[in-house]
Amino acid sequence: MDSLSVQEQRELQSRLEKKQMKDFMGVYSRLVQRCFDDCVNDFTSKSLLPKEEGCILRCVDKYFKGTERLQTRFQELNAQMMQQGNAISGR
């Protein structure tokens, strides 16, 4: 990135930020759709029923806990691969 001009660095940074926002909005949209589809069944009222609200809260909580566990496991595997790579190159 050092070989880029200041203008090119700004452009790259702007594109990265836009991509990150697009990716975040995609994940958010899928989460909302998934929890809505799984939890909301009664359309006779404009408000969520307590049962539906509880289901949505559990759905979101489960998603975040799963994502956190996945990230942790990925970091563990990445560190393990780095150590194996260092051991092989150190021979």
Side-chain angles (χ1 to χ4, degrees), residues 12-89:
L12 180 60
Q13 184 66 30
S14 175
R15 287 182 185 204
L16 287 172
E17 289 171 1
K18 287 178 185 176
K19 183 180 180 342
Q20 287 174 333
M21 181 56 76
K22 183 179 177 183
D23 291 347
F24 170 77
M25 293 306 294
V27 168
Y28 178 78
S29 178
R30 287 188 298 276
L31 172 63
V32 168
Q33 190 65 49
R34 171 83 188 260
C35 292
F36 181 87
D37 290 345
D38 288 351
C39 297
V40 179
N41 303 311
D42 184 358
F43 297 97
T44 60
S45 169
K46 64 181 179 178
S47 300
L48 290 173
L49 299 174
K51 180 175 119 179
E52 293 171 329
E53 190 171 343
C55 178
I56 288 172
L57 291 173
R58 286 188 302 278
C59 178
V60 171
D61 185 54
K62 188 175 187 178
Y63 174 82
F64 283 127
K65 285 180 180 175
T67 300
E68 182 180 357
R69 176 65 184 129
L70 186 63
Q71 289 173 343
T72 300
R73 186 67 180 130
F74 177 77
Q75 289 173 346
E76 291 168 356
L77 289 172
N78 193 31
Q80 184 180 17
M81 287 172 44
M82 294 288 285
Q83 286 177 344
Q84 289 173 349
N86 289 339
I88 291 172
S89 65

